[in-house]
Amino acid sequence: MRKGECSSFGWQALALDEALPDAEGWGWSKLYNANSQQEKEAVRLLLSLLHEFLTMRDDVMALARMYGKYHSLHSQAEGSGGA
């Protein structure tokens, strides 16, 4: 949802890609190519994303809006032959 596009990748790979944009590879392989500073920044971002999710999960209306966006993205992707 965060990127505004559909993806067949798991949330872990997407989060690592966002957390380690300069590390080579994709998903879990980025961890093997990250230095200690990048790992620290990744941990901070992952904890921030977790906090954001937990906050939204407790707000029924925010959760409903997120589901609406998710459904809309997938409907658009199906209409264009994607997903």
Side-chain angles (χ1 to χ4, degrees):
M1 290 307 313
R2 183 176 208 72
K3 292 188 173 193
E5 59 189 35
C6 293
S7 175
S8 60
F9 294 109
W11 69 266
Q12 302 94 332
L14 293 171
L16 286 169
D17 189 51
E18 185 172 336
L20 299 169
D22 298 327
E24 289 186 36
W26 175 251
W28 293 111
S29 67
K30 283 184 168 265
L31 289 176
Y32 302 116
N33 299 317
N35 61 43
S36 62
Q37 183 59 35
Q38 288 172 315
E39 288 176 355
K40 288 177 186 177
E41 291 172 17
V43 168
R44 271 194 288 271
L45 178 65
L46 292 172
L47 290 174
S48 172
L49 291 171
L50 179 60
H51 181 265
E52 182 181 328
F53 168 75
L54 292 174
T55 301
M56 183 175 290
R57 183 189 67 176
D58 292 338
D59 181 343
V60 176
M61 294 309 295
L63 198 56
R65 284 189 298 274
M66 182 173 61
Y67 177 76
K69 290 177 185 177
Y70 171 83
H71 181 69
S72 176
L73 280 174
H74 278 275
S75 295
Q76 290 171 6
E78 287 174 1
S80 67

